[in-house]
Amino acid sequence: MKPMFNPSLMCMDLLNIKEQLQILNTRADFYHVDIMDGHYVKNITLSPDFCKAIRPVCEIPLDCHLMVTTPDDFIEPLAKAGVGYICPHAETINADAFRIVNKIHSLGCKVGVVLNPATPVSYIQHYIHLLDKVTVMTVDPGFAGQPFIREMLDKISELKALKEEKGYGYLIEVDGSCNERTFGDLAKAGTEVFIVGTSGLFNLDKDLAAAWDKMMDNFNKAVDR
C-alpha cells in the first residue's frame, strides 16, 4: 500500500492559507484539522468554521481530529462544513460509541477513532470493525513538539496484525512526531497514514513545495526506497 501523508493545518502559515493549500492539493492525501476545546486538552486551535471557510479550495478530504470533551456537539457542524473524516477520541465516546459512529456515517462522513498513548487497542474492540481509520497518538494530545513515545510502535503492529487477521478496512494512522527520525520505524510497524507537522514538513523549508520534496526525500531514505 502506498504511504499516505496528512499535513496538520494548525502548523501551516495561516497568513498564506490559500497559497499553501494550493501547493498541498496536488501532494497530500488528506488535510488534518485539529479541533480542541480547551477542556479535553488545554489548547484551543481550529474549528468547524475554519473547515467551512477553506473547504471550497480543498481538493482532498478534510480529516478532523476532535480533541473535545463532547464530540457530539461538533458532528453536525463539521458534516455541514463538508469534511471527509470525523475522528473523536475513544475515551470521549465510550458511553455511546455505536450511536456516535452510526451518526457520523449517516451524515455522509467517514469515521476515525483516536487512541491516546495509554489507551489500548482492546478499548475499541467491539466497534473497530465499523471504523474507517484508527489513529495512534505517539505523543500525549494537545500540544505540538513533544517527544515520540516508542512504546506506541507495538500498538501500531497490533492494529496491523488485527487488520490482516480479520480483514478489517480501517486505515492505520499515526499522529505525533512523524519525521525523518521516526518514519522508518513507523512504516515498519505498519503505519499507512502519516500526520506531518512542524518537524516532519513545515519547518523543513520556507517554500512549502520545497519542504514537501525534502520530506519525501527523508521518508524514502528512512524506508530504503
Side-chain angles (χ1 to χ4, degrees):
M1 181 177 181
K2 176 181 173 289
M4 292 180 278
F5 296 91
N6 192 354
S8 178
L9 297 191
M10 77 172 186
C11 301
M12 73 191 307
D13 178 2
L14 295 178
L15 293 178
N16 294 291
I17 293 176
K18 187 174 181 180
E19 174 187 305
Q20 296 211 333
L21 290 174
Q22 289 171 337
I23 292 170
L24 294 173
N25 273 337
T26 59
R27 294 167 171 83
D29 298 282
F30 310 93
Y31 287 132
H32 187 76
V33 180
D34 284 306
I35 297 177
M36 307 180 193
D37 62 358
H39 297 283
Y40 184 70
V41 293
K42 292 184 179 181
N43 207 349
I44 295 175
T45 49
L46 307 177
S47 69
D49 285 340
F50 173 83
C51 295
K52 182 179 180 181
I54 67 170
R55 187 67 190 91
V57 296
C58 294
E59 297 175 11
I60 54 180
L62 290 168
D63 169 37
C64 295
H65 176 187
L66 302 187
M67 283 174 269
V68 301
T69 302
T70 55
D72 198 15
D73 295 342
F74 292 80
I75 292 171
E76 289 190 22
L78 287 170
K80 289 179 181 177
V83 309
Y85 286 77
I86 299 176
C87 308
H89 273 255
E91 303 83 6
T92 66
I93 63 169
N94 189 41
D96 51 2
F98 285 88
R99 184 180 67 81
I100 292 291
V101 168
N102 290 332
K103 180 177 182 178
I104 295 171
H105 276 149
S106 74
L107 291 170
C109 300
K110 293 187 176 183
V111 181
V113 162
V114 185
L115 298 175
N116 277 332
T119 304
V121 173
S122 60
Y123 195 87
I124 60 172
Q125 63 182 325
H126 296 297
Y127 62 92
I128 193 171
H129 60 288
L130 301 174
L131 302 178
D132 301 295
K133 182 154 65 70
V134 178
T135 303
V136 175
M137 296 293 298
T138 57
V139 299
D140 287 326
F143 295 90
Q146 297 181 72
F148 181 74
I149 301 172
R150 293 195 62 81
E151 289 86 344
M152 294 305 99
L153 294 171
D154 289 339
K155 187 185 292 185
I156 298 163
S157 297
E158 182 182 354
L159 282 165
K160 179 184 178 183
L162 184 63
K163 177 178 179 177
E164 292 174 350
E165 177 190 350
K166 301 289 188 180
Y168 292 152
Y170 56 77
L171 293 170
I172 302 170
E173 180 177 67
V174 165
D175 187 358
S177 294
C178 292
N179 54 47
E180 62 180 327
R181 295 183 299 276
T182 62
F183 280 146
D185 289 338
L186 290 171
K188 186 177 179 180
T191 305
E192 297 166 334
V193 184
F194 299 80
I195 295 172
V196 286
T198 51
S199 66
L201 172 62
F202 291 97
N203 278 0
L204 298 181
D205 199 287
K206 290 183 179 180
D207 179 339
L208 185 53
W212 187 274
D213 290 342
K214 290 179 181 179
M215 178 195 74
M216 291 305 306
D217 186 52
N218 289 339
F219 181 85
N220 290 330
K221 288 178 181 176
V223 299
D224 294 323
R225 285 178 176 246

